[in-house]
Amino acid sequence: MNPSIVRTAAVILAFLASSLSTGASAQSLRCKGDLAQIGNSKGTILQKCGEPVMKDSFCKPTQETVAGAPVVSGNSTNVTNITVNSCVQVEEWTYNPGYGQFMTMLLFEGGSLTSIRYGERVTR
């Protein structure tokens, strides 16, 4: 096989492999040589990253449809569905990873990290 073709194929494969690995780390935050990742608990994040610069909590609205008790009327039985409005407690922790990096917001639901968002670049 032609060495030039093999070399070109190797370069293409290396590029594709590096592209895949950067996509996998997009939902993580590097802290003190470790990674905070989706699914980590708040305690794990505190150990890896320390205290955030800001914490916020709010109630995320949710709706759930619950089947009510059957109501018998003559020869027919009807079931009334009930929509219950409630909320899930969400915490947002903000980290400042340093100059030139992006402010990073971690969202926790039920005590686990569910989302990582990036904000403005730190300029000071």
Side-chain angles (χ1 to χ4, degrees):
M1 185 173 268
N2 186 338
S4 169
I5 293 174
V6 172
R7 195 171 326 125
T8 303
V11 169
I12 291 171
L13 285 174
F15 174 76
L16 290 174
S18 69
S19 296
L20 291 174
S21 67
T22 55
S25 65
Q27 286 292 307
S28 62
L29 170 65
R30 182 161 301 283
C31 298
K32 301 175 192 167
D34 206 348
L35 286 179
Q37 298 176 317
I38 301 296
N40 287 156
S41 69
K42 290 191 283 187
T44 299
I45 300 296
L46 280 173
Q47 284 181 328
K48 291 180 178 185
C49 304
E51 284 290 329
V53 294
M54 188 173 78
K55 286 185 181 181
D56 190 18
S57 65
F58 57 93
C59 190
K60 177 179 156 185
T62 61
Q63 280 191 343
E64 181 180 355
T65 301
V66 180
V71 177
V72 178
S73 175
N75 291 336
S76 64
T77 301
N78 295 320
V79 175
T80 303
N81 291 331
I82 302 168
T83 301
V84 178
N85 293 319
S86 61
C87 70
V88 174
Q89 195 63 31
V90 176
E91 282 190 58
E92 182 178 71
W93 294 4
T94 302
Y95 284 91
N96 179 347
Y99 180 79
Q101 302 297 315
F102 294 97
M103 293 295 282
T104 307
M105 285 70 69
L106 308 182
L107 254 58
F108 294 89
E109 292 182 34
S112 294
L113 182 59
T114 58
S115 172
I116 299 176
R117 294 182 300 118
Y118 303 99
E120 296 294 317
R121 189 176 294 272
V122 177
T123 58
R124 296 179 195 211

